Amino acid sequence: MTMINTNVGALLARTYATRAAEKMQTSMERLSSGLRINNAADDAAGLAVANKMKSQLGGLKVAIRNSQDGVSLVQTADGALDEISKLIRRMRELAVQMQNGIYTNQDRSNAQMEIKSLLAEVNKIAQNTQYNKVNLLDGTYDQTVRAGNTNDESIRIAIGSINTSSTAKITNFAVEKAIGHTSTSPSRTNTQNELEVFEATSVQIDTSVWSDAFKTSFNTDSLGTFQITGGGDQGDFTVDAKTGKLTSNAAIVSGVGGSGNSPSDTPGGAVTGGQFQVQVTYTHSNGSTTHVETLQINVKDKAETSLDDVKVETTADAGRAIETLDKALEEVSTAQAKLGASQNRLGHNIDYLSKGSMLTEQSVGRIMDADFAAETAELSKQKILSQAATSMLAQANVSKQAVIALLR
């Protein structure tokens, strides 16, 4: 049918030219932005998934930074503990040195001055070690590191106090050595040999604190043998037959009252009124001469001590100091081990988050990023179609001119 009011060919050409232009604009937008999805109309479902994954990706990246900050905090605390460990080891060297019997009271006083200085330095480090203005070693730090995208992903870091007053607390020392009772007369007989000892897991009594009567007998013949022969509590003691050293594991007392109270009896124990009594017979090498030594041991209540109570002013103090310092060193080492474990855990967490972040970013890219090869091919295709449609639109317009011949 020949008509001029409705040019069907022109309408079709215009429609396809418009479509080609729109698709060409979409391809140019994608190639310009590098994104396949520039608005929700491009891929509504894909955009929704990508937004969730972008949120997850942002959380992972922040969690990586959190974990890295946690590593820095742990390293700061560990560095301070390492220095405290050096100070404790130096104090232990002094304690071992002062347990030797060759030093004067002035020597021990000088050593004690260094001990006090080192203890002050330990407290200074404990009170002033900070990370981002947060105290680490004063016992107040107990926090969590947000180590992932969800609320359940957290790592707790707790650091105990390293103050000298709260480190190496000891209620009973492992070993105590008896000393001469302060109320005894300067010259003691074997019937007046009263000794003092703090409650402990094990008590040792050597012949250096026995009576003057024993020392006189021993000096005449030191080749004899020792034997426990009585005293009421002889079952709680053992004796070295050659040296005369007595050892008892029954002097640790439970249920003790406040400071200064006499220890009460242990259930089924032999302590009466906080006292032990044992008799040792020393037989000279000739087999006929003997000396019977009666030892009255008063067990004194020991108050709880800690690192700040370390003293080296006597050999007994130095012995106690070694035990205290060993415990302090063990506690510091344990704290360092915990921090090391936390640092390793944070390091593994960073590796895990980094891998997850990389894979998540790849996934977002697959959804959002434009495929340049496909888009350039599409752009070329739409350009050709646009040009063809434009050409056909021109042909459609020209085709109607044939109607004019009918009017001539």
Side-chain angles (χ1 to χ4, degrees), residues 20 55 73 82 154 168 185 234 250 265 306 308 350 358 361 368 405:
S55 174
L73 181 145
D82 187 59
S154 62
S185 60
Q234 64 268 31
D265 295 350
S306 57
D308 62 352
I350 291 171
M358 178 189 70
E361 196 159 0
M368 296 293 296

Side-chain angles (χ1 to χ4, degrees), residues 365-384:
R366 291 189 188 101
I367 297 172
M368 296 293 296
D369 292 349
D371 184 340
F372 269 63
E375 292 301 332
T376 51
E378 180 69 15
L379 179 62
S380 298
K381 172 186 172 182
Q382 297 304 327
K383 276 185 177 181
I384 294 171

Side-chain angles (χ1 to χ4, degrees), residues 81 88 161-163 166-170 307 324-338:
L81 288 175
I88 293 174
S161 173
I162 311 297
N163 289 317
S166 57
T167 301
K169 291 185 176 181
I170 295 179
L307 183 57
T324 300
L325 291 164
D326 282 343
K327 186 174 183 181
L329 189 60
E330 180 181 353
E331 291 179 2
V332 172
S333 298
T334 299
Q336 285 185 283
K338 289 180 179 178

Side-chain angles (χ1 to χ4, degrees), residues 79 134 160 169 323 355 362:
V134 176
K169 291 185 176 181
E323 186 173 337
K355 187 69 176 289
Q362 286 180 353

